[in-house]
């Protein structure tokens, strides 16, 4: 189950006073997520930031078009298709030749 709240501490950026950042992984699900920073401390000013971000996982059609392990299947499909075309041509051509031979006799 997806936990809707990810609580992390903002860490100061070295060499840049007053700047804080954090890195985390967004869920691997389609959806629109809100990233909210709500920092309240007594005696200090409040900090509130809300950013809505669409999250789209990587596409799964980025694989190679032809797989090297599938060459036997490719060759089998191509040879079957070529064999069917040759058989059809010879069968139909042979039927035409038989009719012409019978007419000549």
């Amino acid at each position: 189950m997806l936990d809707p709240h990810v609580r992390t501490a903002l860490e100061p950026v070295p060499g840049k006073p007053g700047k804080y950042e954090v890195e985390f992984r967004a869920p691997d699900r389609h959806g629109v997520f809100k990233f909210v920073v709500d920092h309240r401390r007594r005696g200090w000013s409040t900090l509130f930031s809300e950013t809505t971000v669409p999250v789209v996982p990587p596409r799964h059609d980025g694989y190679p078009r032809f797989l090297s392990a599938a060459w036997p299947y490719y060759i089998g499909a191509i040879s079957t298709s070529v064999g069917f075309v040759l058989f059809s041509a010879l069968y139909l051509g042979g039927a035409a030749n038989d009719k012409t031979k019978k007419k000549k006799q």
Side-chain angles (χ1 to χ4, degrees), residues 26-33 53-59:
D28 192 21
R29 295 189 145 184
H30 286 280
V32 178
F33 295 93
V53 179
V55 175
V56 179
R59 294 178 58 145

Side-chain angles (χ1 to χ4, degrees), residues 43-93:
W44 296 86
S45 60
T46 62
L47 177 64
F48 182 78
S49 173
E50 182 177 277
T51 306
T52 304
V53 179
V55 175
V56 179
R59 294 178 58 145
H60 298 290
D61 62 351
Y63 297 109
R65 190 72 148 163
F66 295 103
L67 302 174
S68 59
W71 276 109
Y73 299 105
Y74 300 149
I75 292 170
I78 291 169
S79 64
T80 302
S81 300
V82 169
F84 176 75
V85 169
L86 287 175
F87 175 78
S88 300
L90 291 174
Y91 184 77
L92 294 174

Side-chain angles (χ1 to χ4, degrees), residues 10 20 37-48:
L10 292 173
Y20 295 86
V37 175
D38 190 8
H39 183 74
R40 297 179 189 176
R41 292 187 84 180
R42 188 173 294 190
W44 296 86
S45 60
T46 62
L47 177 64
F48 182 78

